[in-house]
Amino acid sequence: MEQNNEQQPADATLRDLPDAEYEQIRAMIYDLCRLSFDKDKKPLVQYRLGKRLRDLGFSSYRQYLKFVKEQDGGEELTILINALTTNLTYFFREPDHYDFLTETVFKPYAAGPRDARLRLWSAGCASGEEAYTVAMVMNESIPDLDRRDALILATDVSTRVLDIARRGDYPLERFKDTPAELRDKYFEPADQGGRARFRALPALTRLVRFRHLNLMDKWPMSNPMDVILCRNVMIYFDKATQQELVNRFYDALKPGGFLIVGHSETLTGVKHRFEHFRKTIHKKSE
Ligand SMILES: C[S@@+](CC[C@H](N)C(=O)[O-])C[C@H]1O[C@@H](n2cnc3c(N)ncnc32)[C@H](O)[C@@H]1O
């Protein structure tokens, strides 16, 4: 996975995460978010939490775990989740999915009745690039979009990345696969300290609602979805969790709706009710 080249902490006292404490952290993060950390992920966890321990002035993981458990309100749990989730993303990642949305979802919607509702959900949206890419493509494909009831819900368990998503302000690197004319149409320059940055304009931000949501909790949405994108999220879950989630996604979709997963993901080995539409795209029966 993307994060394996991270280094271990420099501080000698935090270099060793004892197995017993690693097991406790693994169990905690699995219970909270069902993220599965194998034994070989210990150096990664050590690296990510080592920084936090140093900031708090703790010299051992045992002290830190005591602090996490004693804390009222679970604020440190939120910080722990923020530290241990992998949030890599960028605009126009896996672009064939956006071509699919244009041809199979947005153009037919644009040709249909103006009072129809359209709902898409970016589940595990990280810092928002996926949701804003959907918004760009939607705006390009539906000429009278501002007079229609079309919205994108974007959720994540990490409050850290949701803050970035809500600010909508990104470094140039995140646009490496974005056509320059789209970047310049939907973002304004927001350079900082001599580094090129771009901020999303209201034409995009008005189409997206960012919300904090752990996919393992009860979902508050009352209206069924037309499309759910859950890309590069389920790779971090075990098969039993994937199966549970895929079936909940099925129930959350309208008949004829679509579930889109990441290019490296497959529903093989997962019992589900979807029709195979094309690779990584699954359809709920009409
Ligand atoms: C690698 S990012 C994927 C971003 C985007 N979907 C993409 O494909 O570029 C995975 C995201 O899933 C989120 N995630 C992991 N477990 C989650 C859970 N239980 N509930 C909600 N989001 C979760 C992480 O916080 C992270 O931001």
Side-chain angles (χ1 to χ4, degrees), residues 5-274:
N5 53 1
E6 293 183 23
Q7 302 299 308
Q8 294 191 11
D11 186 332
T13 54
L14 299 178
R15 203 169 291 150
D16 185 36
L17 166 55
D19 286 344
E21 275 80 10
Y22 181 53
E23 282 310 314
Q24 285 185 51
I25 294 167
R26 265 168 37 118
M28 206 183 275
I29 199 81
Y30 185 83
D31 286 350
L32 284 169
C33 313
R34 301 275 191 93
L35 290 170
S36 301
F37 283 93
D38 298 338
K39 291 221 168 0
D40 67 348
K41 290 288 181 312
K42 194 169 105 166
L44 171 77
V45 170
Q46 211 167 263
Y47 170 72
R48 290 183 174 182
L49 286 187
K51 284 183 190 159
R52 180 68 187 152
L53 266 71
R54 272 196 302 280
D55 289 349
L56 289 170
F58 290 131
S59 57
S60 76
Y61 289 90
R62 181 176 296 185
Q63 276 179 350
Y64 176 67
L65 282 169
K66 189 163 173 282
F67 171 72
V68 172
K69 286 174 191 159
E70 280 172 1
Q71 236 207 6
D72 262 355
E75 200 182 312
E76 189 59 30
L77 278 181
T78 305
I79 295 170
L80 185 78
I81 292 170
N82 289 350
L84 293 183
T85 48
T86 295
N87 316 109
L88 180 108
T89 187
Y90 47 91
F91 297 100
F92 283 95
R93 183 181 193 180
E94 302 175 354
D96 57 301
H97 289 155
Y98 299 107
D99 297 338
F100 161 80
L101 287 176
T102 299
E103 296 306 322
T104 315
V105 178
F106 297 149
K107 285 187 179 170
Y109 172 73
R114 186 168 281 171
D115 61 353
R117 180 202 301 256
L118 183 69
R119 291 290 180 270
L120 295 98
W121 178 16
S122 166
C125 64
S127 38
E129 289 87 331
E130 178 177 274
Y132 286 134
T133 307
V134 173
M136 280 188 259
V137 173
M138 191 155 103
N139 208 60
E140 291 295 302
S141 324
I142 306 171
D144 56 352
L145 186 61
D146 54 350
R147 290 193 295 280
R148 285 174 173 263
D149 182 9
L151 283 176
I152 302 152
L153 170 70
T155 64
D156 204 281
V157 73
S158 164
T159 55
R160 187 185 68 81
V161 286
L162 284 172
D163 286 346
I164 299 172
R166 290 194 181 103
R167 280 203 304 277
D169 172 337
Y170 301 95
L172 179 64
E173 309 85 80
R174 300 292 172 87
F175 294 90
K176 65 186 175 64
D177 291 344
T178 307
E181 64 274 18
L182 288 183
R183 185 195 66 204
D184 295 343
K185 180 172 174 185
Y186 293 107
F187 293 81
E188 61 184 357
D191 298 0
Q192 232 177 45
R195 298 200 59 201
R197 295 186 70 89
F198 297 87
R199 188 180 308 115
L201 289 166
L204 288 190
T205 55
R206 69 178 189 83
L207 295 172
V208 188
R209 303 284 180 273
F210 289 105
R211 298 282 181 270
H212 182 234
L213 180 70
N214 183 345
L215 288 169
M216 301 310 143
D217 292 345
K218 192 172 178 305
W219 299 343
M221 298 81 81
S222 45
N223 292 315
M225 295 289 157
D226 294 271
V227 178
I228 298 173
L229 298 104
C230 187
R231 306 186 311 159
N232 308 299
V233 178
M234 287 194 283
I235 33 166
Y236 301 103
F237 301 146
D238 57 25
K239 276 285 166 207
T241 306
Q242 290 178 7
Q243 176 152 321
E244 192 183 311
L245 200 52
V246 163
N247 283 293
R248 289 179 73 195
F249 284 143
Y250 188 92
D251 293 333
L253 281 165
K254 283 181 191 162
F258 294 97
L259 170 67
I260 306 180
V261 300
H263 280 179
S264 64
E265 296 169 306
T266 163
L267 300 195
T268 307
V270 167
K271 280 203 197 94
H272 63 82
R273 292 161 280 167
F274 283 101

